[in-house]
Amino acid sequence: MTLAVPTGPSGPSPILDLAGVTLEVNHLERAVRFYGQVLGLPLQHLDEQRGVARLGVNAAQSLTLWRPITRQANDPWLAPLRARGAGHLHLAFQVRPEDLPRCRALLDAHALPWQEINLGTAEQPDPTLYFFDPFGHGLELRSVNRLDPRQPPVRVPDHPLMPGAYTLPVLALREVALAFSDYAAMKLRLPRAYGFAFAKEQEDRDFAQFTLGPWPEPDGNGTPRRWLYAWDPQVGLADMLGGDHALVEFYADVPAVTARVEAEGLPCVAEAGRLAARDPDGHVFVFRPAAGPGGS
């Protein structure tokens, strides 16, 4: 089968890094407790009336939890785009390689079933831990080389934001995986309409990787880069699904992305220097100005 070649950005991609992800949860208090006590993410904002909680992953990345409320928008500025939190999202976090043994023990201590898959080779192993949160979101812990010179705008911190004896020592968001009903159309649209840098796709299934940075780069083996994975609505690695109706935030050159989104004719809204666009597959992407040096 001949595969369509994605229409890449002319010059560097305007997409710079992963800023945040929103998960849909049916019990906000339980979700805040899980991500605080198990992953050590501190609560930064809570609005029980709107069903919104925001937790910090590091100084420049966040995880937001939305409880869906009938006929009420969790975030008013995104209401015209009918934004929702992601359902059954696959989300990866970066951890220090030396912390993986401790992560295994902590997952056992929290009675969370997990599986380990080597995404590298026998010569260059890349062990990765997979488990689920209480709401069906698939989580991953992946090693990162903090000494790699290819640092993204949000630099990988040396330590967790809120270290604890019983919390997983996550440092940063690494990737999100989204489902698309029309894989071929998605592969062309994401580079053309937003400027995502197409890196590669798998030979054995509809699975594309986009580098969240100026140029396509190889994935794996500790790279500090972040990634957007896009695949068809099938079960992927470790029985995990790509997210539906996801809300994902990216650091980006917002004017450059705006020009692409408007040329594509996609529904969008703008506020305070940010742009939000609704993808034809129902995902809502928010683009915001890049963080300062060190991701602060």
Side-chain angles (χ1 to χ4, degrees):
M1 180 179 66
T2 301
L3 298 174
V5 178
T7 304
S10 55
S13 167
I15 312 298
L16 304 176
D17 209 340
L18 181 60
V21 179
T22 299
L23 303 180
E24 194 166 88
V25 298
N26 59 5
H27 195 295
L28 192 62
E29 182 180 355
R30 185 185 181 195
V32 169
R33 187 166 59 248
F34 175 85
Y35 281 96
Q37 295 179 356
V38 177
L39 278 81
L41 307 185
L43 180 64
Q44 297 179 336
H45 172 76
L46 176 64
D47 187 332
E48 294 181 348
Q49 183 175 359
R50 289 197 182 278
V52 173
R54 186 180 67 250
L55 300 95
V57 179
N58 53 45
Q61 293 180 316
S62 62
L63 178 69
T64 302
L65 307 171
W66 279 7
R67 179 171 60 87
I69 303 174
T70 302
R71 296 184 180 178
Q72 178 176 311
N74 296 91
D75 193 331
W77 89 283
L78 295 175
L81 302 181
R82 308 186 306 282
R84 293 177 57 181
H88 52 70
L89 187 78
H90 171 47
L91 171 65
F93 294 91
Q94 292 169 316
V95 299
R96 297 172 292 205
E98 61 268 28
D99 283 334
L100 279 174
R102 179 167 169 249
C103 289
R104 298 184 190 100
L106 286 169
L107 289 169
D108 287 338
H110 286 289
L112 289 168
W114 56 274
Q115 62 175 299
E116 181 172 330
I117 299 175
N118 179 17
L119 298 181
T121 64
E123 294 74 24
Q124 290 185 304
D126 187 7
T128 304
L129 304 180
Y130 294 87
F131 61 103
F132 286 89
D133 78 357
F135 310 95
H137 301 293
L139 308 183
E140 174 185 345
L141 303 177
R142 189 88 177 264
S143 296
V144 60
N145 179 5
R146 303 187 313 285
L147 302 180
D148 191 313
R150 299 171 299 166
Q151 289 290 330
V154 177
R155 294 184 62 88
V156 179
D158 290 328
H159 302 285
L161 193 59
M162 191 174 70
Y166 300 102
T167 57
L168 295 167
V170 301
L171 302 175
L173 299 173
R174 184 191 190 273
E175 72 197 41
V176 292
L178 307 183
F180 290 85
S181 58
D182 189 335
Y183 176 82
M186 172 280 300
K187 196 172 60 171
L188 294 171
R189 184 174 65 252
L190 263 60
R192 182 185 66 235
Y194 313 101
F196 288 103
F198 175 80
K200 68 174 186 178
E201 63 183 349
Q202 291 188 0
E203 295 181 356
D204 57 348
R205 67 165 295 183
D206 289 341
F207 183 119
Q209 293 175 264
F210 297 87
T211 305
L212 301 180
W215 306 105
E217 293 187 18
D219 192 359
N221 290 317
T223 172
R225 285 289 181 198
R226 280 74 184 230
W227 307 87
L228 173 64
Y229 292 173
W231 62 56
D232 54 34
Q234 298 178 11
V235 174
L237 200 65
D239 292 331
M240 293 184 177
L241 292 161
D244 290 332
H245 48 73
L247 173 56
V248 187
E249 293 193 37
F250 303 96
Y251 289 113
D253 178 343
V254 178
V257 177
T258 300
R260 288 178 173 271
V261 167
E262 291 179 346
E264 190 75 9
L266 296 176
C268 60
V269 294
E271 180 185 88
R274 300 175 295 172
L275 174 78
R278 183 178 176 88
D279 188 75
D281 245 282
H283 305 303
V284 173
F285 299 141
V286 176
F287 304 94
R288 55 190 302 174
S296 59

